[in-house]
Structures are given as structure tokens and as C-alpha cells.
Amino acid sequence: GELMHIQKLLAAGELEKPLDFDDFERGALIGLLIGEGTVTLTTIGRTYYSPEVKLSNTDVRIVEWVHELFARVGLQHHVSKMKAHQLRKPHHRLQYMISVQGLVPVFRLLTTLRTGFFAKAEKVDIVLAFIALRIEACHHHGRFGNPRRSTEKDQKLVSQIRLLNARGVADGHG
């Protein structure tokens, strides 16, 4: 599973290796994610959380560009579009979404872009702290921890993300 993958990447020194974005790509991604993105911990089931970075936009060209960029650097991601019944109002335009989920892909993306996040820096730091806890679970007594079991520390980080989400975009934390 993912934690086995993390162990292999750690052993090879690959986990900390930044993604190969040039300055323009890096700046454009940071701007898009600050303006149109979400950095969060998503609930899976009742007690497990997974880090996620999402970008949504009505311009399919932007989503295609990000998709091609992520594919070029080997970043695992998913592209989707909202269905008509998901739109809030009939006059709203179709939205396309690109998401990066999971410990390794989110860690690599956020550590590569971290210094540029000013408006969402607090969320990025919380998600990176969550990932660090999961990675720490990999090394617990020389074997893997249970990634499906949420700890008290996990819950604290989830609470911090929820508090920031409740404050919303107006406070620069959306």
C-alpha cells in the first residue's frame, strides 16, 4: 500500500526530491491553488483522513494545462467535472476539477510549492504535519503503523483544518 511506497521512497531518498517545475509553472500553480484551490484533509469512512489538494475551474484549458504538467512530472492526480445536477444554479458554468490525493503525491506537491503559499500557508503546514505523522507511523517499532487508524494528534490537525475552513476565503484562509 501507500505506506510501503513511502518506506521505499524514504530508503531511496526520493520523498524529499522536489517535483521538476520551472519558475513559471511553479508560480502559476501557486497562484491557481491560492485563488481556485483547496488544501485539506478529506474524510474517508468514519475515522480515516487523507490529504488532498484540489483545483477547480470553469476553463477546461487551465485544467488541461495542470493535468499535462502533473503528468509530465509523474504526479498522481485525477481529473473530473461537475455533473449538471451538482451545479448550484442553472446559470452556473460547468466546473472542472483536478485533485491530488494521498500521502506521497500531496507531500511532494506541497513541499515543492510550500515557499510560495502565503494565503494558505497555515493549511499547507497542517496537512504537511499530518503527513509527517503518517510517515512516522511507518517507522514505529520498525514496522508500519495502521494508516486507517486515526490518532489523537490526527484529530487535532483535522480540527485545525476545520476551523480554518469555517473562517473561509474572506479571511484569506479558504
PDB file of all heavy atoms in Angstrom, residues 112-136:
ATOM      1  N   THR A 112       7.154  20.976  -2.721  1.00  0.00           N
ATOM      2  CA  THR A 112       7.721  21.663  -3.883  1.00  0.00           C
ATOM      3  C   THR A 112       7.241  23.106  -3.959  1.00  0.00           C
ATOM      4  O   THR A 112       8.002  24.005  -4.303  1.00  0.00           O
ATOM      5  CB  THR A 112       7.358  20.917  -5.187  1.00  0.00           C
ATOM      6  OG1 THR A 112       7.914  19.597  -5.137  1.00  0.00           O
ATOM      7  CG2 THR A 112       7.885  21.640  -6.409  1.00  0.00           C
ATOM      8  N   LEU A 113       5.970  23.341  -3.608  1.00  0.00           N
ATOM      9  CA  LEU A 113       5.375  24.673  -3.749  1.00  0.00           C
ATOM     10  C   LEU A 113       5.335  25.467  -2.442  1.00  0.00           C
ATOM     11  O   LEU A 113       4.966  26.640  -2.450  1.00  0.00           O
ATOM     12  CB  LEU A 113       3.943  24.550  -4.286  1.00  0.00           C
ATOM     13  CG  LEU A 113       3.759  23.814  -5.617  1.00  0.00           C
ATOM     14  CD1 LEU A 113       2.277  23.721  -5.958  1.00  0.00           C
ATOM     15  CD2 LEU A 113       4.539  24.487  -6.729  1.00  0.00           C
ATOM     16  N   ARG A 114       5.705  24.872  -1.320  1.00  0.00           N
ATOM     17  CA  ARG A 114       5.486  25.434   0.023  1.00  0.00           C
ATOM     18  C   ARG A 114       5.888  26.899   0.191  1.00  0.00           C
ATOM     19  O   ARG A 114       5.134  27.684   0.742  1.00  0.00           O
ATOM     20  CB  ARG A 114       6.228  24.574   1.063  1.00  0.00           C
ATOM     21  CG  ARG A 114       6.231  25.152   2.473  1.00  0.00           C
ATOM     22  CD  ARG A 114       4.828  25.298   3.012  1.00  0.00           C
ATOM     23  NE  ARG A 114       4.786  26.030   4.239  1.00  0.00           N
ATOM     24  CZ  ARG A 114       4.550  27.342   4.344  1.00  0.00           C
ATOM     25  NH1 ARG A 114       4.377  28.082   3.288  1.00  0.00           N
ATOM     26  NH2 ARG A 114       4.491  27.905   5.519  1.00  0.00           N
ATOM     27  N   THR A 115       7.041  27.295  -0.281  1.00  0.00           N
ATOM     28  CA  THR A 115       7.506  28.655  -0.008  1.00  0.00           C
ATOM     29  C   THR A 115       6.646  29.719  -0.682  1.00  0.00           C
ATOM     30  O   THR A 115       6.664  30.870  -0.261  1.00  0.00           O
ATOM     31  CB  THR A 115       8.974  28.848  -0.442  1.00  0.00           C
ATOM     32  OG1 THR A 115       9.088  28.528  -1.824  1.00  0.00           O
ATOM     33  CG2 THR A 115       9.906  27.980   0.387  1.00  0.00           C
ATOM     34  N   GLY A 116       5.872  29.358  -1.686  1.00  0.00           N
ATOM     35  CA  GLY A 116       5.031  30.339  -2.372  1.00  0.00           C
ATOM     36  C   GLY A 116       3.655  30.517  -1.767  1.00  0.00           C
ATOM     37  O   GLY A 116       2.936  31.453  -2.100  1.00  0.00           O
ATOM     38  N   PHE A 117       3.247  29.621  -0.898  1.00  0.00           N
ATOM     39  CA  PHE A 117       1.912  29.719  -0.296  1.00  0.00           C
ATOM     40  C   PHE A 117       1.947  30.722   0.842  1.00  0.00           C
ATOM     41  O   PHE A 117       2.540  30.486   1.886  1.00  0.00           O
ATOM     42  CB  PHE A 117       1.448  28.371   0.258  1.00  0.00           C
ATOM     43  CG  PHE A 117       0.875  27.462  -0.772  1.00  0.00           C
ATOM     44  CD1 PHE A 117       1.623  26.428  -1.292  1.00  0.00           C
ATOM     45  CD2 PHE A 117      -0.424  27.625  -1.221  1.00  0.00           C
ATOM     46  CE1 PHE A 117       1.108  25.579  -2.239  1.00  0.00           C
ATOM     47  CE2 PHE A 117      -0.961  26.783  -2.172  1.00  0.00           C
ATOM     48  CZ  PHE A 117      -0.184  25.757  -2.682  1.00  0.00           C
ATOM     49  N   PHE A 118       1.325  31.865   0.646  1.00  0.00           N
ATOM     50  CA  PHE A 118       1.226  32.829   1.736  1.00  0.00           C
ATOM     51  C   PHE A 118      -0.193  32.862   2.267  1.00  0.00           C
ATOM     52  O   PHE A 118      -0.399  32.877   3.460  1.00  0.00           O
ATOM     53  CB  PHE A 118       1.695  34.221   1.293  1.00  0.00           C
ATOM     54  CG  PHE A 118       1.002  34.725   0.066  1.00  0.00           C
ATOM     55  CD1 PHE A 118      -0.159  35.469   0.168  1.00  0.00           C
ATOM     56  CD2 PHE A 118       1.486  34.440  -1.205  1.00  0.00           C
ATOM     57  CE1 PHE A 118      -0.815  35.937  -0.961  1.00  0.00           C
ATOM     58  CE2 PHE A 118       0.845  34.895  -2.331  1.00  0.00           C
ATOM     59  CZ  PHE A 118      -0.310  35.643  -2.214  1.00  0.00           C
ATOM     60  N   ALA A 119      -1.185  32.832   1.391  1.00  0.00           N
ATOM     61  CA  ALA A 119      -2.580  32.906   1.831  1.00  0.00           C
ATOM     62  C   ALA A 119      -3.051  31.604   2.460  1.00  0.00           C
ATOM     63  O   ALA A 119      -3.926  31.614   3.297  1.00  0.00           O
ATOM     64  CB  ALA A 119      -3.492  33.278   0.660  1.00  0.00           C
ATOM     65  N   LYS A 120      -2.490  30.478   2.065  1.00  0.00           N
ATOM     66  CA  LYS A 120      -2.926  29.188   2.590  1.00  0.00           C
ATOM     67  C   LYS A 120      -1.803  28.477   3.338  1.00  0.00           C
ATOM     68  O   LYS A 120      -1.845  27.274   3.538  1.00  0.00           O
ATOM     69  CB  LYS A 120      -3.437  28.316   1.439  1.00  0.00           C
ATOM     70  CG  LYS A 120      -4.657  28.907   0.773  1.00  0.00           C
ATOM     71  CD  LYS A 120      -5.211  28.012  -0.294  1.00  0.00           C
ATOM     72  CE  LYS A 120      -6.316  28.766  -1.006  1.00  0.00           C
ATOM     73  NZ  LYS A 120      -7.422  27.967  -1.381  1.00  0.00           N
ATOM     74  N   ALA A 121      -0.813  29.216   3.761  1.00  0.00           N
ATOM     75  CA  ALA A 121       0.365  28.622   4.402  1.00  0.00           C
ATOM     76  C   ALA A 121      -0.009  27.800   5.633  1.00  0.00           C
ATOM     77  O   ALA A 121       0.559  26.729   5.871  1.00  0.00           O
ATOM     78  CB  ALA A 121       1.369  29.705   4.769  1.00  0.00           C
ATOM     79  N   GLU A 122      -0.959  28.295   6.419  1.00  0.00           N
ATOM     80  CA  GLU A 122      -1.346  27.593   7.643  1.00  0.00           C
ATOM     81  C   GLU A 122      -1.939  26.221   7.313  1.00  0.00           C
ATOM     82  O   GLU A 122      -1.612  25.222   7.952  1.00  0.00           O
ATOM     83  CB  GLU A 122      -2.358  28.450   8.416  1.00  0.00           C
ATOM     84  CG  GLU A 122      -2.381  28.165   9.888  1.00  0.00           C
ATOM     85  CD  GLU A 122      -3.242  29.172  10.656  1.00  0.00           C
ATOM     86  OE1 GLU A 122      -3.643  30.216  10.099  1.00  0.00           O
ATOM     87  OE2 GLU A 122      -3.506  28.888  11.823  1.00  0.00           O
ATOM     88  N   LYS A 123      -2.797  26.164   6.287  1.00  0.00           N
ATOM     89  CA  LYS A 123      -3.388  24.889   5.870  1.00  0.00           C
ATOM     90  C   LYS A 123      -2.322  23.946   5.331  1.00  0.00           C
ATOM     91  O   LYS A 123      -2.323  22.757   5.629  1.00  0.00           O
ATOM     92  CB  LYS A 123      -4.461  25.099   4.804  1.00  0.00           C
ATOM     93  CG  LYS A 123      -5.771  25.583   5.337  1.00  0.00           C
ATOM     94  CD  LYS A 123      -6.785  25.603   4.219  1.00  0.00           C
ATOM     95  CE  LYS A 123      -8.148  25.974   4.749  1.00  0.00           C
ATOM     96  NZ  LYS A 123      -9.172  25.890   3.707  1.00  0.00           N
ATOM     97  N   VAL A 124      -1.425  24.482   4.524  1.00  0.00           N
ATOM     98  CA  VAL A 124      -0.347  23.664   3.963  1.00  0.00           C
ATOM     99  C   VAL A 124       0.482  23.064   5.098  1.00  0.00           C
ATOM    100  O   VAL A 124       0.788  21.866   5.085  1.00  0.00           O
ATOM    101  CB  VAL A 124       0.537  24.497   3.000  1.00  0.00           C
ATOM    102  CG1 VAL A 124       1.803  23.737   2.623  1.00  0.00           C
ATOM    103  CG2 VAL A 124      -0.253  24.878   1.749  1.00  0.00           C
ATOM    104  N   ASP A 125       0.811  23.854   6.100  1.00  0.00           N
ATOM    105  CA  ASP A 125       1.605  23.363   7.221  1.00  0.00           C
ATOM    106  C   ASP A 125       0.873  22.289   8.020  1.00  0.00           C
ATOM    107  O   ASP A 125       1.480  21.318   8.474  1.00  0.00           O
ATOM    108  CB  ASP A 125       2.022  24.514   8.131  1.00  0.00           C
ATOM    109  CG  ASP A 125       3.061  25.418   7.487  1.00  0.00           C
ATOM    110  OD1 ASP A 125       3.701  25.009   6.488  1.00  0.00           O
ATOM    111  OD2 ASP A 125       3.229  26.562   7.965  1.00  0.00           O
ATOM    112  N   ILE A 126      -0.434  22.447   8.191  1.00  0.00           N
ATOM    113  CA  ILE A 126      -1.219  21.441   8.916  1.00  0.00           C
ATOM    114  C   ILE A 126      -1.241  20.130   8.133  1.00  0.00           C
ATOM    115  O   ILE A 126      -1.039  19.047   8.698  1.00  0.00           O
ATOM    116  CB  ILE A 126      -2.658  21.949   9.184  1.00  0.00           C
ATOM    117  CG1 ILE A 126      -2.625  23.078  10.211  1.00  0.00           C
ATOM    118  CG2 ILE A 126      -3.563  20.811   9.657  1.00  0.00           C
ATOM    119  CD1 ILE A 126      -3.939  23.846  10.332  1.00  0.00           C
ATOM    120  N   VAL A 127      -1.471  20.206   6.834  1.00  0.00           N
ATOM    121  CA  VAL A 127      -1.508  18.994   6.012  1.00  0.00           C
ATOM    122  C   VAL A 127      -0.133  18.317   5.998  1.00  0.00           C
ATOM    123  O   VAL A 127      -0.036  17.097   6.109  1.00  0.00           O
ATOM    124  CB  VAL A 127      -2.028  19.302   4.585  1.00  0.00           C
ATOM    125  CG1 VAL A 127      -1.846  18.115   3.660  1.00  0.00           C
ATOM    126  CG2 VAL A 127      -3.498  19.707   4.648  1.00  0.00           C
ATOM    127  N   LEU A 128       0.934  19.103   5.894  1.00  0.00           N
ATOM    128  CA  LEU A 128       2.278  18.518   5.934  1.00  0.00           C
ATOM    129  C   LEU A 128       2.568  17.883   7.304  1.00  0.00           C
ATOM    130  O   LEU A 128       3.215  16.829   7.375  1.00  0.00           O
ATOM    131  CB  LEU A 128       3.333  19.554   5.575  1.00  0.00           C
ATOM    132  CG  LEU A 128       3.382  19.949   4.094  1.00  0.00           C
ATOM    133  CD1 LEU A 128       4.341  21.112   3.877  1.00  0.00           C
ATOM    134  CD2 LEU A 128       3.748  18.763   3.208  1.00  0.00           C
ATOM    135  N   ALA A 129       2.075  18.482   8.380  1.00  0.00           N
ATOM    136  CA  ALA A 129       2.236  17.895   9.716  1.00  0.00           C
ATOM    137  C   ALA A 129       1.485  16.565   9.811  1.00  0.00           C
ATOM    138  O   ALA A 129       1.984  15.592  10.397  1.00  0.00           O
ATOM    139  CB  ALA A 129       1.754  18.869  10.792  1.00  0.00           C
ATOM    140  N   PHE A 130       0.287  16.520   9.225  1.00  0.00           N
ATOM    141  CA  PHE A 130      -0.498  15.283   9.196  1.00  0.00           C
ATOM    142  C   PHE A 130       0.278  14.185   8.466  1.00  0.00           C
ATOM    143  O   PHE A 130       0.385  13.052   8.943  1.00  0.00           O
ATOM    144  CB  PHE A 130      -1.850  15.527   8.514  1.00  0.00           C
ATOM    145  CG  PHE A 130      -2.665  14.283   8.337  1.00  0.00           C
ATOM    146  CD1 PHE A 130      -3.507  13.844   9.341  1.00  0.00           C
ATOM    147  CD2 PHE A 130      -2.597  13.552   7.159  1.00  0.00           C
ATOM    148  CE1 PHE A 130      -4.258  12.687   9.181  1.00  0.00           C
ATOM    149  CE2 PHE A 130      -3.337  12.401   6.993  1.00  0.00           C
ATOM    150  CZ  PHE A 130      -4.178  11.964   8.004  1.00  0.00           C
ATOM    151  N   ILE A 131       0.831  14.535   7.306  1.00  0.00           N
ATOM    152  CA  ILE A 131       1.592  13.559   6.520  1.00  0.00           C
ATOM    153  C   ILE A 131       2.811  13.087   7.314  1.00  0.00           C
ATOM    154  O   ILE A 131       3.131  11.893   7.324  1.00  0.00           O
ATOM    155  CB  ILE A 131       1.992  14.144   5.155  1.00  0.00           C
ATOM    156  CG1 ILE A 131       0.730  14.384   4.312  1.00  0.00           C
ATOM    157  CG2 ILE A 131       2.959  13.218   4.422  1.00  0.00           C
ATOM    158  CD1 ILE A 131       0.960  15.187   3.036  1.00  0.00           C
ATOM    159  N   ALA A 132       3.468  14.006   8.011  1.00  0.00           N
ATOM    160  CA  ALA A 132       4.627  13.633   8.834  1.00  0.00           C
ATOM    161  C   ALA A 132       4.225  12.614   9.902  1.00  0.00           C
ATOM    162  O   ALA A 132       4.978  11.661  10.168  1.00  0.00           O
ATOM    163  CB  ALA A 132       5.246  14.878   9.472  1.00  0.00           C
ATOM    164  N   LEU A 133       3.041  12.781  10.493  1.00  0.00           N
ATOM    165  CA  LEU A 133       2.564  11.809  11.486  1.00  0.00           C
ATOM    166  C   LEU A 133       2.364  10.438  10.855  1.00  0.00           C
ATOM    167  O   LEU A 133       2.685   9.409  11.451  1.00  0.00           O
ATOM    168  CB  LEU A 133       1.248  12.277  12.104  1.00  0.00           C
ATOM    169  CG  LEU A 133       1.310  13.416  13.102  1.00  0.00           C
ATOM    170  CD1 LEU A 133      -0.093  13.844  13.504  1.00  0.00           C
ATOM    171  CD2 LEU A 133       2.127  13.011  14.323  1.00  0.00           C
ATOM    172  N   ARG A 134       1.799  10.419   9.668  1.00  0.00           N
ATOM    173  CA  ARG A 134       1.568   9.145   8.975  1.00  0.00           C
ATOM    174  C   ARG A 134       2.904   8.489   8.613  1.00  0.00           C
ATOM    175  O   ARG A 134       3.044   7.283   8.722  1.00  0.00           O
ATOM    176  CB  ARG A 134       0.740   9.343   7.699  1.00  0.00           C
ATOM    177  CG  ARG A 134      -0.655   9.903   7.911  1.00  0.00           C
ATOM    178  CD  ARG A 134      -1.632   8.889   8.511  1.00  0.00           C
ATOM    179  NE  ARG A 134      -1.640   8.980   9.953  1.00  0.00           N
ATOM    180  CZ  ARG A 134      -1.724   7.954  10.798  1.00  0.00           C
ATOM    181  NH1 ARG A 134      -1.837   6.745  10.359  1.00  0.00           N
ATOM    182  NH2 ARG A 134      -1.719   8.132  12.088  1.00  0.00           N
ATOM    183  N   ILE A 135       3.859   9.296   8.175  1.00  0.00           N
ATOM    184  CA  ILE A 135       5.178   8.747   7.838  1.00  0.00           C
ATOM    185  C   ILE A 135       5.854   8.211   9.098  1.00  0.00           C
ATOM    186  O   ILE A 135       6.476   7.152   9.081  1.00  0.00           O
ATOM    187  CB  ILE A 135       6.042   9.797   7.110  1.00  0.00           C
ATOM    188  CG1 ILE A 135       5.469  10.056   5.708  1.00  0.00           C
ATOM    189  CG2 ILE A 135       7.493   9.343   7.024  1.00  0.00           C
ATOM    190  CD1 ILE A 135       6.119  11.212   4.962  1.00  0.00           C
ATOM    191  N   GLU A 136       5.687   8.951  10.194  1.00  0.00           N
ATOM    192  CA  GLU A 136       6.235   8.496  11.473  1.00  0.00           C
ATOM    193  C   GLU A 136       5.651   7.138  11.846  1.00  0.00           C
ATOM    194  O   GLU A 136       6.344   6.273  12.383  1.00  0.00           O
ATOM    195  CB  GLU A 136       5.907   9.535  12.550  1.00  0.00           C
ATOM    196  CG  GLU A 136       6.518   9.269  13.896  1.00  0.00           C
ATOM    197  CD  GLU A 136       6.133  10.360  14.882  1.00  0.00           C
ATOM    198  OE1 GLU A 136       6.416  11.540  14.601  1.00  0.00           O
ATOM    199  OE2 GLU A 136       5.533  10.014  15.919  1.00  0.00           O
TER     200      GLU A 136
END
